[in-house]
Amino acid sequence: MIVENWDQLTFRVNREAYRSAEIFTRERGWVWTHTWLYLGHETEIPNPNDFKVRTLGGRPLIFCRDTAGEVHAFLNSCPHRGTVLCRESEGSTRLFQCFYHAWTFRNNGDLAAIPDADAYESSDAFKASMGLRGVPRLEIHEGYVFVAFDPDVPPLLEHLGDAADYMTMIEQQHVGGMTTLPGTQQYSVRGNWKLAVENAMDGYHFAPTHNTFVGYLRESGFAVTDDNQYAYNLGNGHGLLVLTGHGGRISMLWEPRFGEDERVRTEQHRAEMAQRLGEERAHYVADESHILFVFPNLLLFDIEGLSIRQLEPVAPDQTDVRAWQLVPRDEDSAARALRMKTVVSFVGPGGLATPDDIEAYEAVQRGIQATAGTAVPELDYSDMSRGMADEVKGVQGRSTDEGAMRGFWRHWIDAVGLEDGLQVHGERPASFLEGRDVR
Amino acid sequence: MTATTNTHSVRCQGRTITRPEVEDFLYSEADILDHWDYDGWLALFEPGARYEIPTTDYRPGWSPHETGSFVDDDWDLLRARIKRLKSRKAHAENPHSRTHRLVSNVRLSEHTEDSFRVAASFVVHRARDGHFDAYVGWYEHVLVPTEDGLRFRLRRSVLGHESLAAGARLSFIL
Ligand code: FES
Ligand SMILES: [Fe+2]
């Protein structure tokens, strides 16, 4: 499936990985069943009794806060005969009632009532066994709620590893913390979910694919560059792009298009951060843009503003995407309006840039049919070798290299449990780079 | 909704604007867009105008300045969008989508001294990449009468969908 060759400095991925129904089923059974998955942000359900309905790995879930304020994720499926219990997409309720036979559950999962209960065994044990099924594991890091369908996954922080601190850095951006806003971009693309991951970890495509957006930035007085931009493989499949050359972010990194008022606000905010976090930490938090991928379904775009993007594979060639804007809790309305406009101008299916990304990986999905089942099987591979020549020399991979993608694929092949899925030829060099040392 | 409201004419800037006049404006706009005449389309806006598409979970009363949306273009961004769409490097629309628009259920209502509101329904059919998608929703426009005819102050397309279907990105003008 993957051929990593250190003699020839090549890294190739078999295109069946994006096409095959069998591999898709394997991903569902392995990755989406035995790995931590991003469910949602705590601020999406701020009040007791709030709920949202969401699908993860094809499983319908209720993401809710109970009357006492605790966060839960329940299978959205009646313990009686399996009916989808909650058919609203969001709302506020203390009780979930199944319409089929009217069993009723409290929002902490307890069974509240069964009509004509005397036909059943009357023990407390029976009643307890008919409560809502919660997910086996749920942990929260900096407001990001993760769940696992396998009770034996390692602790969340162990899974997140180096990615955890980048999530903390986002939370530290503003003294009052961050919150999600209503207005979720929900859309679907005709491409394999891994193509969306690759696209996010791929600085190489920026200039050609986003030619018109780069033109817009230039016209607004901003010099776009690829210098001093790096890609990091954070381990466990997580990846990071550090961008400085096309990185305007509201209240963090000013660009002329944001206007004079915003320049003043950004400077004041930068000074406040230096005071609160110390100069070095403030530098990492404020002066560079990040695109963080948390394996397998979470992308944090700390560019323009802050977007949370969640991937939900639907079929080998189809992915549902949900995107929320994460904003400072306490933000003045002028800055907020500028932020929303700016974020949306780039990110999302109506922006000036994301449609071209989607076009790119939808075109990959169509194009890779060309080599499917070919008489020359070597042709049916995609190349991700860019930057390996630097890797052997111990030079940090640039954002325009494909090192973060290689890290993703090495972890993916482990996670799907494909025997002999990864062939390594030659010796991985001693200087092989992983992670990032910023602290 | 009140069934008895007069929606076939409105008083604005001391003039009476009639529904046929507004319908003609919307029909010719549809024609301009379906013929990919984006300079012609931009000429239908007054300087400083806006173009908005809220997200599919939009609820009446939400401000695009306080919530996520699909399109939140001020005048600068609207012009940047048109410039982009006219470029061969707008990859998501190269080759262009083919669209066909139907506009209906047009209703007028008073707004301010110099502008009025138009509500209308739309169906936009779009062909691209061997697929054929339909976009259904309603318009919530603010129009201004000028000496050269009607102009958009706000052009707002609200989708009736639960989410955007596969391949249905908003890379063209909705
Ligand atoms: S299936 Fe829900 S009450 Fe019977
Ligand atoms: Fe991109």
Side-chain angles (χ1 to χ4, degrees):
Chain A
M1 190 61 47
I2 301 176
V3 187
E4 174 176 334
N5 189 323
W6 289 100
D7 297 328
Q8 286 164 12
L9 299 178
T10 55
F11 190 99
R12 305 230 152 101
V13 175
N14 190 285
R15 292 171 176 173
E16 274 299 296
Y18 311 104
R19 283 187 309 244
S20 148
E22 199 184 311
I23 286 178
F24 185 80
T25 306
R26 195 172 251 282
E27 285 174 340
R28 273 283 165 88
W30 292 62
V31 181
W32 302 83
T33 306
H34 298 289
T35 309
W36 284 104
L37 303 173
Y38 177 64
L39 172 63
H41 200 269
E42 246 192 309
T43 58
E44 290 180 68
I45 45 168
N47 307 308
N49 307 324
D50 283 353
F51 73 86
K52 297 250 168 172
V53 156
R54 189 155 294 162
T55 300
L56 271 191
R59 291 175 215 268
L61 299 174
I62 300 172
F63 172 35
C64 69
R65 196 179 283 277
D66 69 22
T67 305
E70 201 181 325
V71 173
H72 300 271
F74 299 113
L75 304 187
N76 187 7
S77 172
C78 182
H80 179 217
R81 298 254 288 280
T83 313
V84 162
L85 186 63
C86 178
R87 294 171 300 137
E88 302 284 336
S89 55
E90 57 187 301
S92 169
T93 186
R94 287 164 184 274
L95 296 170
F96 294 101
Q97 186 179 55
C98 180
F99 79 99
Y100 200 0
H101 312 92
W103 288 25
T104 307
F105 307 86
R106 281 187 250 288
N107 59 7
N108 65 0
D110 291 349
L111 179 65
I114 297 182
D116 304 322
D118 50 7
Y120 290 100
E121 206 233 321
S122 62
S123 72
D124 286 349
F126 175 79
K127 226 184 142 190
S129 75
M130 288 302 183
L132 282 182
R133 318 293 195 232
V135 295
R137 295 281 293 278
L138 182 150
E139 287 185 33
I140 303 176
H141 174 60
E142 302 289 12
Y144 302 85
V145 180
F146 289 83
V147 297
F149 298 108
D150 176 352
D152 297 325
V153 292
L156 176 63
L157 278 180
E158 202 174 295
H159 165 71
L160 293 177
D162 285 348
D165 192 42
Y166 287 94
M167 299 164 89
T168 300
M169 282 162 76
I170 289 171
E171 189 59 21
Q172 287 178 335
Q173 286 185 2
H174 296 270
V175 65
M178 308 292 282
T179 185
T180 53
L181 286 183
T184 308
Q185 295 177 341
Q186 299 188 80
Y187 59 101
S188 187
V189 295
R190 293 192 183 105
N192 187 275
W193 67 279
K194 300 185 288 300
L195 293 171
V197 176
E198 287 177 1
N199 174 267
M201 292 290 102
D202 175 12
Y204 191 28
H205 81 274
F206 191 83
T209 300
H210 301 304
N211 177 284
T212 57
F213 192 75
V214 171
Y216 163 66
L217 294 182
R218 291 222 167 94
E219 271 171 29
S220 70
F222 187 71
V224 182
T225 148
D226 278 333
D227 296 345
N228 302 317
Q229 309 204 102
Y230 299 98
Y232 297 89
N233 167 18
L234 299 180
N236 282 351
H238 316 316
L240 175 75
L241 288 197
V242 173
L243 307 170
T244 49
H246 40 81
R249 290 139 77 211
I250 297 302
S251 76
M252 305 294 284
L253 274 178
W254 184 80
E255 280 182 24
R257 66 185 155 126
F258 299 159
E260 272 308 295
D261 290 354
E262 175 64 8
R263 191 177 60 74
V264 174
R265 280 193 295 262
T266 304
E267 272 169 14
Q268 287 168 349
H269 179 226
R270 182 67 175 76
E272 182 276 323
M273 267 188 289
Q275 179 128 57
R276 176 165 49 92
L277 303 170
E279 190 44 61
E280 197 190 351
R281 182 73 168 175
H283 166 70
Y284 289 121
V285 170
D287 300 343
E288 49 185 41
S289 300
H290 299 140
I291 300 177
L292 178 70
F293 169 63
V294 178
F295 188 91
N297 69 335
L298 172 63
L299 281 156
L300 294 173
F301 291 87
D302 191 356
I303 52 172
E304 310 292 312
L306 245 159
S307 299
I308 301 175
R309 190 182 289 174
Q310 184 184 48
L311 303 175
E312 166 73 0
V314 175
D317 58 355
Q318 190 183 324
T319 307
D320 284 352
V321 183
R322 303 152 192 153
W324 298 266
Q325 306 314 330
L326 191 67
V327 304
R329 231 177 257 277
D330 315 309
E331 184 170 50
D332 77 61
S333 61
R336 175 67 58 81
L338 178 66
R339 167 188 299 278
M340 299 320 289
K341 167 193 120 173
T342 304
V343 166
V344 166
S345 75
F346 184 97
V347 181
L352 304 185
T354 301
D356 295 330
D357 289 312
I358 301 171
E359 175 74 12
Y361 57 83
E362 287 190 346
V364 171
Q365 192 73 43
R366 295 198 306 278
I368 58 171
Q369 289 302 331
T371 49
T374 161
V376 194
E378 306 88 80
L379 298 183
D380 198 28
Y381 282 82
S382 287
D383 186 274
M384 277 161 237
S385 313
R386 194 174 163 83
M388 284 174 86
D390 272 346
E391 247 165 35
V392 291
K393 291 184 224 141
V395 176
Q396 177 56 51
R398 295 169 302 166
S399 66
T400 51
D401 291 335
E402 290 161 341
M405 268 174 242
R406 292 189 287 273
F408 164 74
W409 278 105
R410 285 190 198 97
H411 185 78
W412 176 86
I413 201 77
D414 257 9
V416 290
L418 271 178
E419 207 129 310
D420 299 326
L422 173 68
Q423 293 169 34
V424 184
H425 302 287
E427 285 277 304
R428 253 186 213 158
S431 59
F432 181 72
L433 296 158
E434 290 246 355
R436 186 192 191 204
D437 190 15
V438 293
R439 297 305 93 79
Chain B
M1 283 277 142
T2 46
T4 51
T5 320
N6 169 11
T7 65
H8 50 75
S9 69
V10 78
R11 290 286 296 172
C12 189
Q13 295 186 18
R15 276 179 55 191
T16 299
I17 319 273
T18 64
R19 186 153 69 203
E21 190 178 345
V22 174
E23 282 171 343
D24 283 345
F25 175 74
L26 295 178
Y27 296 163
S28 62
E29 188 218 3
D31 205 44
I32 283 170
L33 285 171
D34 286 346
H35 287 91
W36 206 262
D37 172 14
Y38 279 153
D39 288 326
W41 187 64
L42 200 58
L44 301 179
F45 287 74
E46 70 168 12
R50 301 179 50 83
Y51 168 46
E52 298 175 358
I53 306 180
T55 50
T56 52
D57 56 352
Y58 165 78
R59 303 219 200 114
W62 282 7
S63 155
H65 313 302
E66 288 285 340
T67 63
S69 49
F70 287 129
V71 173
D72 181 14
D73 284 357
D74 61 8
W75 183 235
D76 284 346
L77 273 170
L78 179 56
R79 284 177 301 166
R81 180 178 298 276
I82 295 311
K83 179 159 192 211
R84 163 181 151 73
L85 283 172
K86 286 164 59 184
S87 152
R88 276 187 309 115
K89 297 285 180 69
H91 306 291
E93 283 296 329
N94 182 25
H96 298 170
S97 300
R98 289 197 220 177
T99 58
H100 183 247
R101 292 152 204 269
L102 302 174
V103 179
S104 153
N105 303 20
V106 177
R107 285 149 296 159
L108 318 186
S109 58
E110 312 276 345
H111 183 42
T112 63
E113 277 294 289
D114 70 335
S115 70
F116 63 98
R117 288 185 190 278
V118 175
S121 291
F122 64 79
V123 181
V124 181
H125 293 104
R126 174 203 194 211
R128 188 160 197 276
D129 283 343
H131 292 276
F132 197 62
D133 309 305
Y135 302 77
V136 178
W138 54 93
Y139 291 132
E140 297 176 353
H141 298 330
V142 175
L143 295 189
V144 236
T146 74
E147 289 189 352
D148 305 320
L150 298 173
R151 291 291 180 267
F152 287 111
R153 179 161 290 172
L154 168 66
R155 189 187 182 287
R156 183 164 223 252
S157 313
V158 182
L159 285 159
H161 305 226
E162 289 182 318
S163 66
L164 285 178
R169 58 189 132 74
L170 300 169
S171 46
F172 61 106
I173 301 294
L174 184 64

